[in-house]
Structures are given as C-alpha cells and as structure tokens.
Amino acid sequence: MKLMKLYSLAQELARDLVFEVDDEVVTLSIKGVLIANVLSKSYNFSFFEVSEDEFILALQASGYVIYLGIESDAELSEDAYPSIVQILISELMPHVNALIREAEKIKYRGSDVLLDDNMSPTLKEAMYDILIKHRKGKMPYEQFEVA
C-alpha cells in the first residue's frame, strides 16, 4: 500500500488555477497526473497541445517524469504559453517535488496514472497513450519538443 501516498499527493495537484490572458480570465484545471520512472536523472520539462483547450505539461526530475493533464476553459493563444508555463512550473513544482521525493522513498519503479479527475476523452487518450509507451519501455519523446 506504499502507492497510496503517491495517489494522495497527486490529489493535491488537482486544482484550478486562474490566469489573466489577453485581458480575459482563464481557468486551467489539472485533471490528470501520470508518474513514470525513467533512467535519466536530469531536469527538463516539455509542453504540448492535445487540443485547442487541453495540454500536457511534463516535468522531469530525479529519475521521474510527472505528466500533468491540464484543461482550459478557453482557447489559449500560443503567445501566452511561455508565461503560463513559467507560472505553472513555479506554482506546481513544490507539489511535484513532494511526489518525486515520495516515489524515491518507496523506490517506485514503473508508470501509473495517479489522478483522473474527469479528464475529457481527448486528454485521457493522450495520457493513456503516454502510459502505454512507458509501460512498453519506450520513451514518448517524439511527442514532445525539447525544452
């Protein structure tokens, strides 16, 4: 039952974050969290669009990648992505780091969806595609641009 702590920490990431983008209020909701153990201990992040109002932010640190499935209540312009991603990373890294520390503590090796908070079918498909690739021992790098 060591994994229960990981699920609990992932629940803390389920939140709505409110941004002002182009003079409009936009809510970003974290709907999914996936953890995957990887060989690389380097730090990195990737961001990609799943649809006009959904994207995945991948944060890599200490041998783990945490994928955050995020839904927006409005379409975001590509010009807004850099500042939104910067704020997301600074806001969410303490929680992601806590999740990674716990994974290290229990010596978690594998990949699993830790949170599925009513993800849309499109976002769910993207997250589970990543999960399947990790479980097959493949890295989904072809889906991400290098940060």
Side-chain angles (χ1 to χ4, degrees):
M1 290 296 128
K2 293 179 182 180
L3 286 179
M4 294 310 291
K5 181 70 173 178
L6 291 179
Y7 286 100
S8 174
L9 289 169
Q11 291 293 324
E12 293 177 20
L13 282 162
R15 64 182 65 213
D16 292 339
L17 300 165
V18 180
F19 291 87
E20 186 172 327
V21 179
D22 299 328
D23 297 325
E24 289 186 40
V25 175
V26 176
T27 302
L28 300 180
S29 302
I30 299 172
K31 298 289 189 172
V33 177
L34 185 152
I35 186 171
N37 176 243
V38 294
L39 296 175
S40 174
K41 298 274 186 188
S42 67
Y43 294 84
N44 202 350
F45 74 94
S46 297
F47 172 85
F48 69 96
E49 281 185 289
V50 175
S51 71
E52 294 173 347
D53 58 354
E54 301 165 317
F55 56 91
I56 294 175
L57 178 61
L59 302 168
Q60 179 177 323
S62 303
Y64 296 92
V65 181
I66 307 298
Y67 298 91
L68 304 173
I70 302 171
E71 295 180 9
S72 173
D73 66 350
E75 185 177 339
L76 299 174
S77 71
E78 286 188 25
D79 295 339
Y81 287 161
S83 59
I84 288 174
V85 169
Q86 181 181 7
I87 294 168
L88 283 172
I89 290 172
S90 66
E91 189 73 27
L92 300 174
M93 271 317 284
H95 300 285
V96 169
N97 284 333
L99 186 59
I100 289 171
R101 280 192 304 276
E102 183 63 25
E104 288 176 315
K105 181 179 169 184
I106 66 170
K107 297 178 178 18
Y108 178 76
R109 301 290 175 255
S111 54
D112 201 1
V113 172
L114 300 176
L115 173 70
D116 180 348
D117 188 16
N118 295 316
M119 283 188 280
S120 72
T122 309
L123 186 57
K124 186 177 282 199
E125 180 181 355
M127 292 287 278
Y128 280 90
D129 282 346
I130 292 169
L131 175 65
I132 289 168
K133 284 186 179 187
H134 276 287
R135 287 196 173 165
K136 288 182 176 179
K138 299 178 183 177
M139 293 300 294
Y141 286 126
E142 67 272 9
Q143 296 180 20
F144 305 114
E145 293 180 28
V146 175

